[in-house]
Amino acid sequence: MADVDPATLAMIQKLQREDLEESGALEEWRESTRRSDDDDYCPGPAKRAKKRKQVAAKKETKKEKEIVPAAAVPIEPIPAPDAADDDPTCSDTESDGGNGHIAHGKENFFTAAVPTKKKGTSVARGLTLRALIKEGLMEPGQGVLRVEYKGHVFLGDLTPEGSICYEGELWESPSSWSIHVKRRVFPDKKADDGWKSVFYVTEDGEKTKLEQLRRTHALKMFGFGSFEKETANAPKAKPELAAPKTKPELAARAPAAEPAAPAEPTEYAKQRPKRELKKRHWLEHDLEGHEMVPMELFCGSPGSGEEGSQPFGVQVSCGCQVVMDVHGFMSFSKEIIGLLGGRVERTQGGRPVVRVEEAFPVREIRTEDDTINVEMDPESEVEVRAKMADAGLIAVGWYHSHPSFPAVPSVIDLTNQLRYQRLVREENGLEPWIAAIVSPYNKTRPAMESELTYFYVDAGARTEGKDTELDRDCRSMALDTATSENTAFAAAAMSKIKMIKEWYGAEWEGASLWEGQTTLKDKLLHSVSSRLPSCWSDAMREAFLNSLNHLLV
């Protein structure tokens, strides 16, 4: 017998112990192990009798659970034994073809090199995506896995081995991938159930949650019929548990006794256009100016110059975030606006970086509907730009609020951002200008912290005369930002907040209830607390929040 790698042997022993524990025979196995290790070992009769009773009791308990009514059957069954699945030496991530990221249509993961990074590679003891593929509930493909989160859409590729390929990395479970992409939008998110948040998208564009496919798989595993038709004794399934529709031509060839084996693709299927060609651009719809446009994500490293990558890196200071946050909170129903001051620099590697140092509130002018429209007062903007210059900064962006709806840009927001980008365009084509949206009172988002997002317009190749107008080449893009924990911002931030209080103090009612016994001011203080530098001591945080609390009285 060939030598077994120690790590592989340890994994095999671990899986054996887990299986024995589930079957209630763990103690018997341990006793037999001790006997094999020590010929002199022999427990007393009383001890052996006690162990036999314990094992018998566990087996009896297991039998009682197995005859529980169908409605109480758990929805996460252990897959049927399979040599390739149960043998830890057979890696689900090994493949002749490998897997490469194709979410942006660059390479085919059936032929690309195997990514070097693997995420969430622990051995799954429950249902896996590979099991769903084997049962015919899913098919590998490009962008067939989808996560929708706070206006963002993430597409992942499903490999033939049941792994999720995203941005050149492999993810072995839906939860590990979904929490990864959601943390790009909300870094403080603690956990996520990928089975409930990841969709599987068919060639026809139908979206099905993995949770529904898992339940369908459970029906068969517990003897409640095949995927095509449930038996008369099966429990009544909810509508979403219905099996995927079978194409008529395949159903006609299927034997009556058992499901048909997968058929070879027809010539029509081989020549059918890719799903990406069916995707409609958001500008093809008759969008109104205030309709929101979901943001897409750049790929690659910011400022690297790679195809599809963010044109520059972005760093935003804590003090800037605090001022934007308070400014948005102080206007409960009307939108606010301001400018972002900072610098455009280059790293030692030559990559461009926009460093946002301060937020400068600007007075708005009254519009027909201030709840969904905001415009800068020209005189106030001139004064703010002068203050910015005195501080040695230049304008590198703008911000505004969506008081009670999501922090997702509208068509008007994208149009304004594109025009700003054209005004600062450099000779090399770089447009170092960013946009931010703060949403403090969105009822659909239960978190105490406000939602703060940054966006940019990827205009692609533009034609003469359409430089400042949105067209089919334009994409609404989310910016990947980093937080710069500057600590010496308290005095400047308090000065701006005092000015904001003078502007909106007469209208803002901080004592009004937000939810339960939580007031608007409580929500503001909690949100600001989450944006203070992590390096501050508890005493420093408490002193700043107390000063802010007294200022807002």
Side-chain angles (χ1 to χ4, degrees):
M1 177 178 178
D3 293 336
V4 180
D5 180 69
T8 302
L9 181 60
M11 179 62 72
I12 294 174
Q13 292 173 344
K14 178 183 176 183
L15 296 177
Q16 287 175 337
R17 285 195 297 273
E18 291 177 354
D19 292 337
L20 290 169
E21 188 173 13
E22 292 175 2
S23 64
L26 181 60
E27 292 301 326
E28 288 184 351
W29 174 79
R30 287 176 175 171
E31 183 174 325
S32 63
T33 302
R34 287 194 293 268
R35 285 174 177 165
S36 62
D37 293 341
D38 186 356
D39 293 336
D40 296 330
Y41 169 78
C42 184
K47 188 173 183 179
R48 289 199 301 270
K50 181 179 179 181
K51 291 295 183 182
R52 285 196 295 271
K53 289 182 180 180
Q54 291 176 347
V55 172
K58 289 182 179 179
K59 289 183 177 180
E60 189 65 23
T61 303
K62 183 181 178 182
K63 290 180 179 179
E64 292 177 358
K65 290 182 179 180
E66 290 177 348
I67 60 174
V68 171
V73 173
I75 62 173
E76 290 194 25
I78 302 299
D82 185 283
D85 289 343
D86 292 345
D87 184 2
T89 63
C90 298
S91 171
D92 283 352
T93 61
E94 295 177 356
S95 160
D96 293 338
N99 307 299
H101 175 60
I102 50 84
H104 298 275
K106 289 186 177 181
E107 55 184 347
N108 190 313
F109 69 81
F110 292 101
T111 58
V114 178
T116 56
K117 297 183 181 179
K118 299 177 182 180
K119 305 290 185 178
T121 55
S122 59
V123 179
R125 298 303 299 159
L127 187 64
T128 63
L129 296 180
R130 187 181 186 188
L132 296 179
I133 294 174
K134 286 186 175 182
E135 296 296 344
L137 290 175
M138 302 174 68
E139 293 182 1
Q142 305 176 12
V144 298
L145 298 179
R146 179 185 182 99
V147 171
E148 300 174 356
Y149 186 62
K150 298 184 182 300
H152 301 268
V153 176
F154 306 90
L155 299 180
D157 311 326
L158 180 61
T159 73
E161 292 75 34
S163 301
I164 301 172
C165 188
Y166 180 75
E167 292 189 346
E169 297 180 350
L170 289 180
W171 306 83
E172 301 303 333
S173 72
S175 296
S176 61
W177 176 60
S178 63
I179 188 64
H180 168 72
V181 296
K182 288 185 177 181
R183 281 176 178 168
R184 300 184 68 168
V185 180
F186 184 58
D188 295 332
K189 187 169 181 59
K190 303 301 181 184
D192 188 66
D193 186 350
W195 292 95
K196 295 182 179 178
S197 58
V198 178
F199 290 90
Y200 170 67
V201 185
T202 65
E203 292 184 354
D204 298 327
E206 295 182 1
K207 296 190 300 183
T208 306
K209 283 189 177 181
L210 296 185
E211 174 72 7
Q212 299 174 18
L213 299 179
R214 181 167 65 173
R215 291 181 181 178
T216 304
H217 183 274
L219 293 178
K220 180 182 179 182
M221 292 299 297
F222 285 98
F224 296 151
S226 65
F227 299 132
E228 288 74 19
K229 185 176 181 180
E230 299 175 9
T231 63
N233 296 328
K236 293 183 178 180
K238 295 181 180 180
E240 64 269 18
L241 302 184
K245 295 180 180 180
T246 305
K247 294 182 179 180
E249 61 270 22
L250 296 181
R253 293 198 294 268
E258 57 182 4
E264 287 293 327
T266 63
E267 287 301 321
Y268 168 77
K270 293 178 181 179
Q271 299 176 6
R272 182 171 49 197
K274 297 292 184 181
R275 181 164 50 254
E276 289 80 5
L277 299 179
K278 297 180 181 180
K279 182 178 179 181
R280 297 185 66 191
H281 190 274
W282 54 272
L283 277 173
E284 290 181 353
H285 306 276
D286 295 329
L287 295 182
E288 297 182 359
H290 297 104
E291 187 164 350
M292 295 187 214
V293 181
M295 293 176 285
E296 303 177 46
L297 290 178
F298 288 105
C299 66
S301 179
S304 64
E306 301 171 359
E307 183 180 357
S309 65
Q310 188 171 302
F312 47 79
V314 180
Q315 288 188 353
V316 185
S317 70
C318 290
C320 176
Q321 295 181 39
V322 167
V323 173
M324 283 193 291
D325 212 8
V326 175
H327 194 183
F329 268 103
M330 290 296 290
S331 182
F332 183 81
S333 59
K334 298 178 181 179
E335 292 191 5
I336 55 87
I337 196 168
L339 291 172
L340 300 175
R343 300 176 177 85
V344 180
E345 301 175 350
R346 290 188 178 272
T347 64
Q348 292 182 351
R351 297 187 179 188
V353 178
V354 175
R355 305 190 192 278
V356 185
E357 302 291 344
E358 295 186 44
F360 291 84
V362 179
R363 292 299 298 265
E364 64 274 4
I365 59 176
R366 296 301 179 187
T367 60
E368 183 177 353
D369 189 349
D370 296 332
T371 61
I372 55 175
N373 284 304
V374 63
E375 294 182 22
M376 292 185 191
D377 179 90
E379 294 184 3
S380 180
E381 181 181 357
V382 171
E383 294 175 0
V384 165
R385 287 183 179 269
K387 293 180 181 179
M388 197 180 298
D390 292 341
L393 305 174
I394 64 172
V396 294
W398 65 296
Y399 71 94
H400 72 292
S401 70
H402 287 179
S404 57
F405 45 98
V408 179
S410 66
V411 177
I412 291 179
D413 296 337
L414 294 171
T415 301
N416 291 334
Q417 171 63 15
L418 180 59
R419 290 173 180 173
Y420 274 126
Q421 289 176 206
R422 290 300 184 243
L423 290 175
V424 300
R425 189 172 192 177
E426 300 177 355
E427 292 182 359
N428 59 5
L430 188 68
E431 298 176 347
W433 187 271
I434 72 172
I437 303 176
V438 57
S439 173
Y441 299 115
N442 181 9
K443 281 290 188 180
T444 63
R445 186 174 184 269
M448 289 284 283
E449 299 85 359
S450 64
E451 184 180 9
L452 182 58
T453 60
Y454 302 86
F455 70 93
Y456 185 83
V457 176
D458 183 2
R462 308 307 306 278
T463 58
E464 190 69 25
K466 293 185 178 181
D467 277 354
T468 59
E469 298 298 328
L470 297 175
D471 61 18
R472 280 185 51 84
D473 292 326
C474 294
R475 298 164 64 198
S476 171
M477 308 299 294
L479 286 173
D480 187 9
T481 65
T483 299
S484 173
E485 292 200 338
N486 64 318
T487 56
F489 67 85
M494 281 298 179
S495 176
K496 292 186 177 72
I497 293 172
K498 183 178 180 180
M499 178 182 66
I500 294 171
K501 174 65 162 50
E502 293 174 354
W503 290 356
Y504 305 101
E507 302 174 5
W508 189 64
E509 299 180 358
S512 300
L513 294 180
W514 162 250
E515 191 174 65
Q517 297 301 314
T518 302
T519 65
L520 300 186
K521 187 167 72 170
D522 292 336
K523 193 175 191 299
L524 183 155
L525 293 173
H526 190 284
S527 184
V528 169
S529 176
S530 69
R531 306 197 187 282
L532 297 179
S534 59
C535 60
W536 274 14
S537 65
D538 292 341
M540 294 176 64
R541 300 174 69 88
E542 184 177 356
F544 184 88
L545 293 174
N546 284 339
S547 299
L548 179 59
N549 185 33
H550 292 313
L551 182 61
L552 297 178
V553 172

